Amino acid sequence: MRNTLIILSVVLIVLTLGSCKKEDEWKLPTDVGFSMDVNRSYSSNGKLVFTSGIITLASFDFEGERAQGDDVYFSKSFPSGLNISFNSKSVISQLDFDIPQGTYTRISIAFSTLDDFDDNNIVVNGNYTNSSGTDYPIKFEFKSGEYFDIVAEDYTGGSEIVLDKDLTESVFIQLDPIHWFQIISTTLLDNADLVNVNGIQTIVISEDVNDNIFDLVVDRLDESMETVFKSY
């Protein structure tokens, strides 16, 4: 009887230690770097392309559901705004978080822009070739607060994402101004008012200039966004 109790005690100790070890394993942080950019592809008719811009974040949220260990949630707020230049190769150091490793069955990324009517919180720059073949710079400017929320994918398009402490993970968030402008006809853009910007005639799309185009574009801001995780 005594031997049986000893064996049971040893088994319980081993199981407990194994459980603690596993639990600690799922708390180990991974190296994850976030970057943001815009879709730089040409529109389907080849007349419109976007190449640069900025976004000013007020908040950034990460929510992950794991197959092992507890679910993960963290949030950062930026009361004065976090200014980010769109660049797929530039890691945003302010979005550096300790994200526990594990198999995530779902990851949701959400962020909002600063609601500041004195400054533009989203600016996207590009080029438009009108029906006469003349090129004009195009600039979209947005001052209001906007909320973006999307379920992330891995690089193959799957929703299950594995974060490993021994691998570096890059997370690419892309906004899609080509999609925003997809419903804008060439007639509207050809007839848009031009503004002198640093001595260059420019198509400015904002609350104050070409507001008929602006209103249509704003309704699509949170559409066609993607967030992709890739290990290397």
Side-chain angles (χ1 to χ4, degrees):
M1 181 67 175
R2 182 179 177 184
N3 288 339
T4 302
L5 290 174
I6 292 173
I7 294 172
L8 287 174
S9 298
V10 171
V11 170
L12 286 173
I13 291 171
V14 170
L15 290 175
T16 300
L17 290 174
S19 176
C20 291
K21 184 178 179 182
K22 268 300 186 188
E23 186 176 337
D24 289 340
E25 180 183 338
W26 303 127
K27 292 180 180 179
L28 293 174
T30 56
D31 185 7
V32 179
F34 288 87
S35 62
M36 296 184 73
D37 204 353
V38 292
N39 179 3
R40 296 172 183 254
S41 302
Y42 277 85
S43 61
S44 57
N45 60 13
K47 294 180 176 293
L48 183 63
V49 65
F50 293 96
T51 56
S52 65
I54 61 98
I55 186 169
T56 304
L57 298 188
S59 66
F60 187 90
D61 302 327
F62 176 101
E63 185 174 358
E65 299 173 4
R66 286 195 296 173
Q68 318 95 336
D70 296 331
D71 293 342
V72 178
Y73 175 81
F74 57 77
S75 178
K76 269 193 176 182
S77 61
F78 308 98
S80 299
L82 173 63
N83 294 314
I84 298 170
S85 294
F86 291 126
N87 186 339
S88 63
K89 297 180 180 179
S90 178
V91 175
I92 306 164
S93 60
Q94 295 88 341
L95 301 183
D96 184 13
F97 302 94
D98 288 337
I99 303 176
Q101 70 173 352
T103 301
Y104 286 78
T105 55
R106 185 179 187 276
I107 292 178
S108 174
I109 301 292
F111 55 91
S112 63
T113 58
L114 195 66
D115 195 354
D116 182 354
F117 291 96
D118 292 328
D119 294 304
N120 294 312
N121 296 312
I122 299 177
V123 176
V124 184
N125 305 302
N127 186 81
Y128 173 68
T129 305
N130 68 12
S131 299
S132 301
T134 304
D135 290 339
Y136 287 102
I138 186 168
K139 179 185 288 286
F140 172 76
E141 300 176 339
F142 182 75
K143 293 183 177 182
S144 304
E146 182 71 23
Y147 181 77
F148 299 84
D149 187 5
I150 188 169
V151 175
E153 300 176 342
D154 72 358
Y155 69 98
T156 66
S159 59
E160 184 175 276
I161 296 168
V162 179
L163 299 184
D164 188 326
K165 66 178 179 61
D166 296 322
L167 297 174
T168 298
E169 194 83 21
S170 64
V171 187
F172 176 53
I173 301 171
Q174 179 179 269
L175 304 184
D176 195 352
I178 287 296
H179 173 79
W180 304 346
F181 278 79
Q182 193 173 38
I183 61 170
I184 308 302
S185 67
T186 55
T187 301
L188 278 176
L189 289 176
D190 283 351
N191 294 307
D193 293 333
L194 298 173
V195 175
N196 189 315
V197 179
N198 299 323
I200 300 174
Q201 292 294 95
T202 302
I203 301 172
V204 175
I205 311 296
S206 69
E207 292 180 352
D208 303 316
V209 185
N210 296 307
D211 59 318
N212 57 328
I213 299 176
F214 176 83
D215 291 340
L216 293 171
V217 171
V218 166
D219 286 341
R220 298 163 66 88
L221 279 189
D222 61 348
E223 298 178 5
S224 194
M225 187 178 76
E226 64 178 19
T227 300
V228 178
F229 280 69
K230 186 174 183 179
S231 302
Y232 61 93

